[in-house]
Amino acid sequence: MKPDARSFRIALVADRYVNPPPGGLDAVAAAVQAGWGVMQLPADDYPAEVAGPLLAEVAEQAEEFTRHGYGLVLVGDREGLAEALARTGVAVPDGITPDSYVQLLAFLNGRPAPAAARDAGRPPG
Amino acid sequence: MGVAFVAHCLLNQNSKVGDGAHCAGVYSPVVDVLRDKGWRIEQMPCPELAFTGLNRFWAVREQLDTAAYRRHCERLAEAVAGVIALRVAQGEDVVLLGVQGSPSMGVTVTSSDPLRGGRPEWPEGTAEHTSGEGIFVEEIRKALGRRGINFPRVAGETHALADHDEATQRAGIESVLDHGQGPGDGVTGAFWPAGGPGPSGSGVPPAGRVPPRAST
């Protein structure tokens, strides 16, 4: 069996960067290149009764990752996210609204190693 | 083109059970297919992550199939069904991409072993994979049924299966994506990757046990 390859790094990503328009910024591709996982935020045009439960689940999962020292960042934003995170006691992570793919990649690669990665003896990056 | 509802871990391998992450974060073999075909991605929540946590053991259906876990999955399934309903109402094609062999996210292969429990030791290679859906997928089926929505066509990431082959996995997903509009059940709902363990690669899952490679 191969060793577990997780990076302990997760980006909460606005839908417009997960499903970018033609020529738009593809944050999933940047996450692949930088070795980050992605948690997708609900599309901006979803009504509250659809987006609310999804944001609650994002927050609950973010709480579990935070409790274990995984690194979180926010790419873009989503109305209601801060409130959903607050209900679980999780602060809004450091974030970026990137102007370019290169800028996003530099942001992801420049983050410090999360506590969980250090505990697991993983090198940064 | 349409909307692919994908298992959480396909975009975030950090959610996997310990020793289960195949890569750092995004499992690109599946994402690449969706990008190439122009499909929209909708990531579903991971039912096991928030319920049993990051330190969970690998598990089979019988260990997870409790009333509390069912209620948890039902809640998540309602959230997912709300989005599927929105997309279906807009006339969009919908598929569900799960994780074959998973007790929660299996779409045609799940994990089952009624004897597993107690001290977490068992012979490596116990034949735990069996035809069927994972618990969360079952709850999504129920939630869509309550809304009168057909269950979508399905395909699965096959890393946990003994005969996993990336090219076969891609071909299987492409086959489901390309199948066109229509309900999953009775069309390709019981999808098995072409050349997979079904009889003569027939696209039909075999009855009974499936060779294992990994659990959750």
Side-chain angles (χ1 to χ4, degrees):
Chain A
M1 182 183 296
K2 290 182 184 176
D4 190 283
R6 78 189 60 208
S7 63
F8 305 97
R9 296 164 173 86
I10 302 122
L12 279 57
V13 181
D15 177 73
R16 61 184 175 278
Y17 299 116
V18 175
N19 293 294
L25 199 162
D26 184 349
V28 177
V32 171
Q33 192 171 348
W36 284 66
V38 166
M39 288 178 70
Q40 180 182 9
L41 301 175
D44 290 338
D45 60 352
Y46 285 172
E49 65 270 22
V50 170
L54 296 174
L55 286 169
E57 302 307 335
V58 166
E60 194 165 70
Q61 293 175 83
E63 180 185 15
E64 176 67 4
F65 284 121
T66 300
R67 291 176 65 243
H68 287 267
Y70 285 49
L72 299 181
V73 298
L74 176 61
V75 179
D77 201 359
R78 211 298 175 182
E79 185 181 346
L81 175 64
E83 293 80 2
L85 289 172
R87 281 191 284 275
T88 65
V90 175
V92 176
D94 291 347
I96 182 173
T97 298
D99 293 325
S100 69
Y101 183 92
V102 171
Q103 186 190 28
L104 175 57
L105 200 57
F107 173 75
L108 295 176
N109 286 331
R111 300 296 300 174
R118 292 195 298 269
D119 293 346
R122 299 281 182 85
Chain B
M1 292 193 299
V3 184
F5 286 77
V6 304
H8 181 95
C9 61
L10 296 179
L11 290 185
N12 183 21
Q13 292 278 297
N14 293 288
S15 66
K16 297 287 274 189
V17 66
D19 291 332
H22 309 305
C23 61
V26 177
Y27 184 63
S28 50
V30 169
V31 172
D32 289 348
V33 183
L34 298 174
R35 291 289 197 234
D36 291 348
K37 297 282 183 179
W39 280 63
R40 177 181 168 78
I41 295 171
E42 284 283 349
Q43 182 185 34
M44 296 184 284
C46 172
E48 294 177 22
L49 173 63
F51 194 86
T52 51
L54 283 163
N55 283 1
R56 64 190 182 274
F57 281 115
W58 292 37
V60 293
R61 276 181 56 102
E62 287 81 357
Q63 292 169 296
L64 286 173
D65 199 357
T66 66
Y69 187 64
R70 282 279 174 184
R71 282 192 290 272
H72 170 75
C73 284
E74 181 181 1
R75 189 189 79 202
L76 269 56
E78 283 295 330
V80 171
V83 186
I84 293 178
L86 203 65
R87 293 292 173 183
V88 168
Q90 293 172 356
E92 293 174 273
D93 193 14
V94 169
V95 300
L96 193 153
L97 300 184
V99 178
Q100 298 292 40
S102 165
S104 298
M105 291 308 305
V107 286
T108 60
V109 181
T110 185
S111 293
S112 173
D113 182 354
L115 299 179
R116 192 168 294 188
R119 184 189 294 267
E121 296 176 1
W122 51 88
E124 184 65 32
T126 299
E128 66 195 21
H129 289 164
T130 186
S131 299
E133 295 172 343
I135 292 166
F136 185 40
V137 171
E138 285 181 349
E139 293 299 327
I140 292 173
R141 178 183 290 277
K142 291 179 191 173
L144 291 175
R146 288 192 289 271
R147 294 163 189 254
I149 297 172
N150 287 321
F151 191 69
R153 303 188 307 280
V154 298
E157 176 260 306
T158 59
H159 226 101
L161 304 186
D163 59 350
H164 168 71
D165 173 73
E166 202 162 280
T168 304
Q169 172 184 271
R170 182 185 176 98
I173 294 172
E174 285 181 337
S175 169
V176 168
L177 297 179
D178 292 343
H179 195 276
Q181 297 272 0
D185 290 340
V187 183
T188 55
F191 175 76
W192 191 277
S200 306
S202 62
V204 177
R209 298 283 170 180
V210 177
R213 177 167 160 186
S215 140
T216 314

